[in-house]
């Protein structure tokens, strides 16, 4: 939680224009910085319409940031001050009548608490990653921001290191052909990031080992 002297830096995800405009009216009654950017920035608080796999949601989760419901903004504005985040956090209450698993619902709270407890800088800390460089465009750029938010190290495909841990594949495109550098690496579809954060799976059934 930010100290009293530190302003909250806020982003939204998942809201349509009308609802977002209404929330901004509440938000601007409070002392904060709002980032209009459609991409994830280094916010302190993400206000989410729902559980989702948007870039902002995944990145904030990987960085251990507060991911909160819109009621946090509304109730804080009505109180004239920022309220405690705890009861507004996604994952504070687990709904039973939903198609989302309890593990997925608890992901934002679980990662924030785990990263705070372990003092790890991010959910992907220790990963050394290769990404597709020639395909994907905006999608690869978005994946890169999520990985960087979780403190993964992005390696160059031109000068790959020999201890790469994760190779991400988009449309069956492999970022490098030199398998000597990848003998210990595992190959993943890009969807694995969401699976890892929401389900906290250490391995994915779609992974393939290449030697």
């Amino acid at each position: 939680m930010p100290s009293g002297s530190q302003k909250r830096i806020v982003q939204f995800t998942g809201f349509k224009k009308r609802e977002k405009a209404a929330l901004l009216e509440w938000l601007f009654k409070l002392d904060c910085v709002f980032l209009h950017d459609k991409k994830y920035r280094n916010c302190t608080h993400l206000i989410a319409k729902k559980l989702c796999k948007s870039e902002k949601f995944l990145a904030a989760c990987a960085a251990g940031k507060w991911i909160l419901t819109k009621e946090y903004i509304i109730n804080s504005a009505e109180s004239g001050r920022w309220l405690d985040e705890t009861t507004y956090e996604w994952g504070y209450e687990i709904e039973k009548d939903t198609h989302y698993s309890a593990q997925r619902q608890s992901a934002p709270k679980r990662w924030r608490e785990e990263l705070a407890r372990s003092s790890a800088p991010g959910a992907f800390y220790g990963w050394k990653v290769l990404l597709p460089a020639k395909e994907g465009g905006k999608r690869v750029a978005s994946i890169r921001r999520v990985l960087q938010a979780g403190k993964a190290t992005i390696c160059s495909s031109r000068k790959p290191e020999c201890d790469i841990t994760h190779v991400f594949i988009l449309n069956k495109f492999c970022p490098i052909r030199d398998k000597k550098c990848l003998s210990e690496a595992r190959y993943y579809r890009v969807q694995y990031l969401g699976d890892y954060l929401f389900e906290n799976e250490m391995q994915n059934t779609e992974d393939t080992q290449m030697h």
Side-chain angles (χ1 to χ4, degrees), residues 52-54 57-59 61-62 103-104 107 110-111 124 127 143 146-147 168 189-201 204:
C52 64
K53 291 186 178 181
S54 71
F57 201 105
L58 293 179
C61 195
Q103 189 81 344
R104 179 169 180 172
R110 181 159 38 85
W111 278 108
F124 310 132
W127 291 18
I143 294 164
V146 172
L147 286 164
F168 284 91
R189 299 180 187 276
V190 294
Q191 293 87 345
Y192 175 72
L193 287 179
D195 294 340
Y196 179 81
L197 290 170
F198 283 154
E199 304 299 339
N200 202 15
E201 297 172 351
N204 191 305

Side-chain angles (χ1 to χ4, degrees), residues 39 55 135-145 170:
K39 303 170 185 176
E55 173 188 321
E135 290 190 8
K138 291 182 179 179
R139 189 179 184 193
V140 171
S142 178
I143 294 164
R144 180 184 294 271
R145 287 189 291 272
L170 184 65

Side-chain angles (χ1 to χ4, degrees), residues 104-146:
R104 179 169 180 172
Q105 291 182 64
S106 67
K109 181 175 184 289
R110 181 159 38 85
W111 278 108
R112 183 187 58 76
E113 291 178 343
E114 172 61 23
L115 293 174
R117 182 194 64 78
S118 66
S119 297
F124 310 132
Y125 182 66
W127 291 18
K128 292 192 175 182
V129 178
L130 274 183
L131 290 172
K134 297 181 180 179
E135 290 190 8
K138 291 182 179 179
R139 189 179 184 193
V140 171
S142 178
I143 294 164
R144 180 184 294 271
R145 287 189 291 272
V146 172

